[in-house]
Amino acid sequence: MKTYASAGEISPALERPLVTLGNFDGVHRGHQFVIGEVLKRSAQTGRPALLVTFHPHPLKIIRPQSAPPLLISHEEKMARLEALGVEHAVVIPFTPAFAALSAERFVRDVLHRDLKASAVFVGNNFNFGRGREGNVGLLRRMGRDLRFDVPELPDLLILGSPASSSRIRRAVRSGEVELARELLGRPFTVPGRVIRGDARGAALGYPTANLSPSAEILPADGVYVTRARAFGAEHDAVSNVGSRPTFEGAGFAIETHFLDRAPELSGLYDEWIEIAFLARLRSEVRFDSADQLKRQIAADVARARRFFEQLAPPGGG
């Protein structure tokens, strides 16, 4: 994927492109649908497809104190956009000066003058410009004068409501990782570096890799069926997110126990791994003894194994 640092770099490299624009945090199924429509129109007309996004997230500049946590990093976002088939992308630096740009001036100066867009594809809830004053209606009105099309796209409804980054954040924060997976089209993941823990899991017979997460948002405290990617391979796992209340003063941790064919945990220290959250097993609770906790972990592991057995194709192949 070729990326451009400003809209002014596009012309004359791309002639009258089909443009889609947005923050694309999470690159969820709603984003995938809109991007798919752009790529489909590009294949039909021969016009180049161009994606426009912003960095950092606009709210981190406009209202940093209330900016939402990002679902994925900027680097992962760009990689996922490329994997969808996007070949050209403009990453506009979002600065206070750019934030002050009116919606009408953005359309005239960026979409029309710099990009020379022949069509603009956005979701129905898209807002842009100073104070989020611009919307799809404004794009259509100005498009008629400036000779670019704004196709009508239906909302992609998932379980009765549109997919959105804010809806995914709510699902993750409440531990509804199955809903997050449905909205994203893939499991929600938390990357991070493996750090040394206190070895309580190993003492109970269930050694764990302890993660120092790099994600801005984490699932609610609880026990989850997960899949861990380490050294380029995926491993079925079960993970605990929370403060480990059974042990006095234990503190917050993300602990992952590999179910089968686990790498040597000592070899994971300081390594970068990624935990994919597939299903929630239970909330985190305080047990009266380590033995009670051990029995519950055994039950959690058994349930996680049954989850993966049900995922396996018939005959195991």
Side-chain angles (χ1 to χ4, degrees), residues 133-182:
E133 63 190 4
N135 55 28
V136 179
L138 176 66
L139 276 176
R140 287 207 174 96
R141 289 194 299 274
M142 295 190 69
R144 285 192 287 269
D145 294 333
L146 300 175
R147 298 179 61 192
F148 65 78
D149 183 30
V150 182
E152 289 192 25
L153 300 177
D155 287 326
L156 178 68
L157 300 182
I158 299 175
L159 301 177
S161 299
S164 70
S165 300
S166 58
R167 188 181 175 197
I168 296 168
R169 291 187 194 101
R170 290 194 297 271
V172 171
R173 282 173 163 152
S174 63
E176 297 175 275
V177 295
E178 297 95 329
L179 174 58
R181 179 173 53 160
E182 186 70 24

Side-chain angles (χ1 to χ4, degrees), residues 11-317:
S11 183
L14 301 178
E15 184 177 355
R16 299 282 287 160
L18 306 170
V19 174
T20 183
L21 65 155
N23 295 311
F24 300 106
D25 182 29
V27 193
H28 56 64
R29 287 176 60 189
H31 298 143
Q32 294 167 31
F33 170 72
V34 174
I35 292 168
E37 291 299 303
V38 177
L39 296 179
K40 185 189 306 180
R41 177 76 70 88
S42 176
Q44 292 169 346
T45 62
R47 291 197 181 277
L50 174 66
L51 182 140
V52 178
T53 190
F54 312 96
H55 183 67
H57 190 287
L59 287 178
K60 291 187 180 292
I61 300 298
I62 299 169
R63 293 197 304 273
Q65 70 281 1
S66 60
L70 297 181
L71 294 168
I72 58 177
S73 69
H74 175 72
E75 292 73 19
E76 182 182 351
K77 177 178 80 171
M78 299 307 293
R80 290 194 175 280
L81 291 172
E82 183 173 17
L84 290 177
V86 175
E87 295 182 351
H88 299 276
V90 180
V91 181
I92 296 177
F94 201 90
T95 63
F98 188 82
L101 207 64
S102 71
E104 289 194 1
R105 188 173 170 192
F106 174 80
V107 174
R108 291 186 184 280
D109 291 0
V110 179
L111 295 180
H112 176 61
R113 183 193 68 194
D114 294 341
L115 300 182
K116 296 179 172 55
S118 63
V120 178
F121 292 70
V122 293
N124 291 318
N125 63 347
F126 180 71
N127 292 94
F128 64 99
R130 182 181 55 218
R132 293 169 57 85
E133 63 190 4
N135 55 28
V136 179
L138 176 66
L139 276 176
R140 287 207 174 96
R141 289 194 299 274
M142 295 190 69
R144 285 192 287 269
D145 294 333
L146 300 175
R147 298 179 61 192
F148 65 78
D149 183 30
V150 182
E152 289 192 25
L153 300 177
D155 287 326
L156 178 68
L157 300 182
I158 299 175
L159 301 177
S161 299
S164 70
S165 300
S166 58
R167 188 181 175 197
I168 296 168
R169 291 187 194 101
R170 290 194 297 271
V172 171
R173 282 173 163 152
S174 63
E176 297 175 275
V177 295
E178 297 95 329
L179 174 58
R181 179 173 53 160
E182 186 70 24
L183 296 171
L184 284 165
R186 64 183 188 277
F188 173 75
T189 59
V190 174
R193 200 167 296 280
V194 177
I195 59 175
R196 293 184 182 274
D198 48 29
R200 287 194 178 99
L204 295 172
Y206 297 94
T208 61
N210 295 272
L211 191 72
S212 175
S214 69
E216 294 188 12
I217 183 171
L218 299 175
D221 290 0
V223 179
Y224 297 87
V225 179
T226 58
R227 192 166 268 143
R229 172 170 285 276
F231 297 127
E234 292 189 344
H235 304 272
D236 296 347
V238 60
S239 298
N240 184 84
V241 178
S243 59
R244 302 172 293 174
T246 300
F247 301 104
E248 191 70 28
F252 178 84
I254 299 178
E255 303 170 304
T256 296
H257 174 68
F258 293 77
L259 298 183
D260 296 298
R261 302 181 303 281
E264 179 60 42
L265 292 182
S266 62
L268 282 177
Y269 292 138
D270 294 327
E271 292 294 332
W272 194 264
I273 69 172
E274 184 177 71
I275 307 299
F277 288 79
L278 306 183
R280 182 178 170 91
L281 292 177
R282 61 177 177 85
S283 59
E284 189 180 47
V285 297
R286 183 185 184 279
F287 294 92
D288 293 334
S289 68
D291 284 342
Q292 284 186 357
L293 174 58
K294 183 176 180 177
R295 288 194 292 272
Q296 182 60 58
I297 293 174
D300 295 336
V301 166
R303 288 182 63 193
R305 290 188 186 281
R306 288 196 294 273
F307 178 93
F308 288 113
E309 287 170 1
Q310 292 169 359
L311 286 183

